[in-house]
Amino acid sequence: MSQDKAQDKPYGGNAPKKAITAPGITAMKGSDRKIACLTAYDYATGITADESGADLILVGDSLAMVVLGHEDTLSVTMDEMIHHTRAASRGVSQALLVADMPFMSYHLSVEQAVANAGRLVQEGRAKAVKLEGGGTVVEKIRAIVDAGIPVMGHLGLTPQHVNRFGGFKMQGKNAADVQQLLDDAMALEEAGAFSLVLEAMPVEAAELVTEHVGIPTIGIGAGNVTDGQILVWHDVLGMFDRFTPRFVRTYAELGKDATAALTRYCEDVRYHRFPAEKHTSHMAEEETGAMKKIKIRKRK
């Protein structure tokens, strides 16, 4: 689809009509209609993202930063991911709900990876899981898929490796790195991944990977050449002000609007403007008369 035609498409009215599955996402590879993905972390964000028409909703380990206030994604636990995934699942009925496998939930062994992926599906009610990494996670992806759980891969800037990278830095900036990205992407596809997140890389790298794998690529900071895009709910709506990555487009300033609204509330309370008469309930007149007979016990 040309850029001009894409800009002519109206907002709204494109919501999925029935529940989307992992094979349904895979079938969208190469389509003119890009795959729209968002994160969500509880019932309220889940239902809002679902009603927006998102195709895929990720309960990301970004939960650690945008909801729990940590400095990075490494502190969130399996129990926390299950808790928030289960809450989000109650609000998601159309999009494919994917849950991130948090740091150290799949790193020790294939058996650990399968068991924790199973918990996210059985207890968290996710429909698929996502894990980060290339060749080192191939056997784990294969085993999880063999257990009947769809897996989404994640390459490029993988936040769980932030300490090894020395910060949140762009990946794939030279030909050797791009070769590794492509090799890893093809290995993840061969292991059974149904889609692949490409994060924070030059558009040329993302284009090469997208062209040579048969599963959809979902970009975040990888240009407009991938099969879809994903952004964090709080970034899209202007509700996380610690930092804003260059690749984010903010569509609203709900954080500022919320602060302004809550400030007005506090001021109305302080200066007797809330609650007003219209927010107040009254007893029947005969009951207020009967209240005169109430006995008031003296305080000791």
Side-chain angles (χ1 to χ4, degrees):
M1 182 182 296
S2 71
Q3 188 69 23
D4 289 341
K5 288 182 179 179
Q7 290 175 347
D8 289 340
K9 290 289 185 181
Y11 293 123
N14 294 318
K17 300 301 181 184
K18 60 181 181 179
I20 294 177
T21 63
I25 293 292
T26 303
M28 296 173 72
K29 172 70 179 180
S31 170
D32 283 343
R33 180 189 182 282
K34 298 273 189 172
I35 305 168
C37 310
L38 285 167
T39 65
Y41 308 98
D42 54 22
Y43 174 76
T45 55
I47 196 169
T48 303
D50 199 51
E51 290 180 349
S52 76
D55 301 300
L56 182 151
I57 294 173
L58 171 69
V59 183
D61 59 3
S62 48
L63 163 74
M65 301 174 71
V66 299
V67 177
L68 302 180
H70 296 295
E71 292 297 319
D72 52 41
T73 66
L74 304 181
S75 299
V76 70
T77 66
M78 266 298 297
D79 287 342
E80 288 169 333
M81 288 301 305
I82 290 169
H83 173 86
H84 284 269
T85 301
R86 186 166 59 242
S89 74
R90 300 184 187 113
V92 177
S93 60
Q94 296 181 335
L96 177 67
L97 184 67
V98 182
D100 254 334
M101 297 191 68
F103 182 61
M104 294 309 296
S105 68
Y106 57 94
H107 299 70
L108 300 181
S109 67
V110 170
E111 292 75 18
Q112 180 206 33
V114 174
N116 281 327
R119 289 191 66 197
L120 285 166
V121 172
Q122 188 174 50
E123 300 174 47
R125 308 307 298 161
K127 303 299 182 184
V129 299
K130 180 174 77 65
L131 62 162
E132 299 178 2
T136 58
V137 299
V138 164
E139 292 306 315
K140 294 162 186 175
I141 289 177
R142 184 173 289 115
I144 294 170
V145 172
D146 285 346
I149 301 170
V151 176
M152 187 178 205
H154 187 158
L155 294 174
L157 171 56
T158 46
Q160 292 177 13
H161 299 86
V162 63
N163 289 328
R164 179 164 64 85
F165 294 152
F168 295 98
K169 297 180 179 180
M170 180 175 287
Q171 303 298 304
K173 293 189 288 185
N174 59 60
D177 289 344
V178 175
Q179 178 69 66
Q180 187 63 57
L181 281 171
L182 179 59
D183 291 345
D184 284 340
M186 297 180 75
L188 297 186
E189 178 186 0
E190 290 167 359
F194 74 91
S195 62
L196 180 62
V197 171
L198 300 179
E199 181 169 358
M201 63 182 63
V203 66
E204 294 84 1
E207 185 172 34
L208 185 71
V209 172
T210 299
E211 181 181 353
H212 288 92
V213 295
I215 55 177
T217 57
I218 308 299
I220 177 168
N224 199 24
V225 297
T226 52
D227 297 296
Q229 296 290 327
I230 187 166
L231 282 178
V232 170
W233 196 90
H234 293 70
D235 288 339
V236 174
L237 297 178
M239 297 188 69
F240 183 73
D241 61 0
R242 189 184 301 168
F243 64 89
T244 302
R246 177 184 176 183
F247 52 75
V248 167
R249 178 176 176 182
T250 300
Y251 284 78
E253 293 290 351
L254 297 193
K256 293 178 181 178
D257 290 346
T259 299
L262 295 174
T263 299
R264 291 197 302 273
Y265 159 75
C266 291
E267 292 297 295
D268 283 351
V269 170
R270 288 190 184 103
Y271 297 105
H272 311 273
R273 295 189 293 263
F274 177 81
E277 180 60 29
K278 65 180 180 179
H279 308 115
T280 304
S281 301
H282 292 277
M283 296 174 67
E285 187 173 344
E286 59 271 21
E287 294 300 329
T288 58
M291 285 178 61
K292 296 176 182 178
K293 300 178 181 180
I294 291 177
K295 297 178 180 180
I296 307 299
R297 182 173 58 84
K298 291 183 178 180
R299 293 179 180 175
K300 294 182 179 180

